[in-house]
Amino acid sequence: MPRNGPPEQPNAEIGYSRVDVQPDTALLIKGMEATAEWPAVRQLRAWERTRLALQAGERLLDVGCGFGDVAIALAADVTPTGSVIAIDASEAMLRVGRQRAAEAAASVDFRIGDAEALPLPDGSVDACRCERALQWVPNADRALAEMLRVLRPGGRLSVIETDWRSLLFDLPDRAATDAVGRAFWALRGPAFDLGGRILNLARELGLEAIDVTGAVHVWTRWNPDSEVAPSGMFPIRTIVDQLVELDYLAADMAERFVVSVEDAARRDRLCISLCMLAVFGHRPS
C-alpha cells in the first residue's frame, strides 16, 4: 500500500535538492530557463524589482541563484559602484552563471554556499532576494533567519516561493488525480506548502512594512507524443514512476493518471495551474 503521510526525510535526489549529483544538470537548467519565461514568474520578478528599488552603490545578495539570470539582470541596477553576490549550492549552476555573466559583461560574484549558513558577515548587504529556492533547503526557517542576519538594519528582503498545494489538474479521473496529489505531497514533505506559509514566516521574523502578492501559471497546451512535459513542468511520467518506485503511489493509479493527462492534452482539454507567492519586507532598523 502507498504511504499516507510525508516521509521524515524527502528523497534528496529528486529535483533541485542536490543538483550536482543529478545525471543531467543541463536538463535542469533547461527547465529553469522555461519557467523563467512563464508570465507568472516574469510578473513576480517585475514586482520584486520595483520593491527592491536597487540603487547604484548598493550590495545585493541572491540566495539560491541557480544559473544567475536574475543576478545578472539586477547587476545593472547597482552599477558602477555596487555589487551583486550570487550564492548557490551547485557548482554546475555557478559555472553556467559565471559564463553567462562574462558574456553579458555583468559583474556578479558567484560563490558556492549554504543558504542555512551564508558565508557573509552580519549586516553586510543592502538587499537580499531568494526565488523558488527555499523549498529545496532542509530548514527554510534557518535560511530565512540567515538572510535577515546578513541584511543591514532597514535592508530589504524579497522571497518568491511556490505553494505546491495549489498544483491542480482538471481531469475526469478524480480518484487518480487525488492519489497523485497525495503522493506528491508525501514526496516533497514539509516544503510542499512553503509558498503559502512564507508570509507568516516573514511576520515571525519581524520584517517590517511587509508587502505580498501572488501569481498563477496555467498550462493549456502540451504534445505528449513529442514533449516529456508541458513547458517548465517536471517530466510527468518520470515523476509518477518515481512515486510508484518510492511506494507513495499504486501502479494502477499512476497509469490511470498519466493516461488521463495525456488524453486531455491530445483532445485540447489540458488545464493545469500552479500558484506562487512573493513577500517583501524590511529588516527592523
Side-chain angles (χ1 to χ4, degrees), residues 10-22:
N11 189 288
E13 310 303 325
I14 302 291
Y16 294 87
S17 294
R18 296 176 60 198
V19 170
D20 291 352
V21 302
Q22 299 285 355

Side-chain angles (χ1 to χ4, degrees), residues 43-44 47-48 51 157-161 194-203 207-215 275-281:
Q43 173 187 332
L44 293 176
W47 180 91
E48 172 189 73
R51 277 147 189 81
L157 174 64
S158 172
V159 180
I160 299 171
E161 197 47 85
L194 185 58
R197 293 191 289 113
I198 202 70
L199 174 58
N200 281 327
L201 288 176
R203 288 167 170 160
L207 287 181
E208 298 178 343
I210 292 175
D211 198 1
V212 61
T213 192
C275 179
M276 292 162 282
L277 282 82
V279 174
F280 172 82

Side-chain angles (χ1 to χ4, degrees), residues 7-184:
E8 292 182 3
Q9 294 183 336
N11 189 288
E13 310 303 325
I14 302 291
Y16 294 87
S17 294
R18 296 176 60 198
V19 170
D20 291 352
V21 302
Q22 299 285 355
D24 189 355
T25 55
L27 185 62
L28 295 179
I29 291 172
K30 184 177 180 180
M32 292 174 67
E33 290 174 328
T35 61
E37 295 303 316
W38 292 354
V41 169
R42 297 176 70 175
Q43 173 187 332
L44 293 176
R45 288 180 175 180
W47 180 91
E48 172 189 73
R49 194 169 192 170
T50 298
R51 277 147 189 81
L52 285 175
L54 296 166
Q55 303 293 319
E58 290 193 312
R59 197 180 199 199
L60 169 70
L61 173 64
D62 188 351
V63 178
C65 64
F67 60 83
D69 55 334
V70 177
I72 291 168
L74 293 179
D77 295 355
V78 299
T79 57
T81 53
S83 61
V84 176
I85 301 169
I87 290 177
D88 201 272
S90 165
E91 186 56 50
M93 289 286 179
L94 295 177
R95 280 196 300 270
V96 175
R98 293 184 186 109
Q99 177 182 346
R100 295 190 180 190
E103 292 169 353
S107 180
V108 178
D109 180 5
F110 288 98
R111 303 182 189 178
I112 198 82
D114 181 355
E116 295 182 30
L118 293 171
L120 293 169
D122 296 357
S124 57
V125 300
D126 299 289
C128 177
R129 74 175 303 273
C130 180
E131 181 189 330
R132 293 175 294 145
L134 279 178
Q135 61 183 287
W136 304 106
V137 173
N139 191 321
D141 295 45
R142 185 178 302 162
L144 281 168
E146 274 290 278
M147 293 179 214
L148 200 65
R149 176 186 66 79
V150 302
L151 275 173
R152 64 166 174 78
R156 293 98 71 198
L157 174 64
S158 172
V159 180
I160 299 171
E161 197 47 85
T162 307
D163 191 330
W164 287 101
R165 292 174 299 181
S166 69
L167 180 61
L168 301 177
F169 291 79
D170 181 30
L171 301 172
D173 192 336
R174 293 308 312 165
T177 304
D178 292 344
V180 169
R182 290 190 298 270
F184 190 53

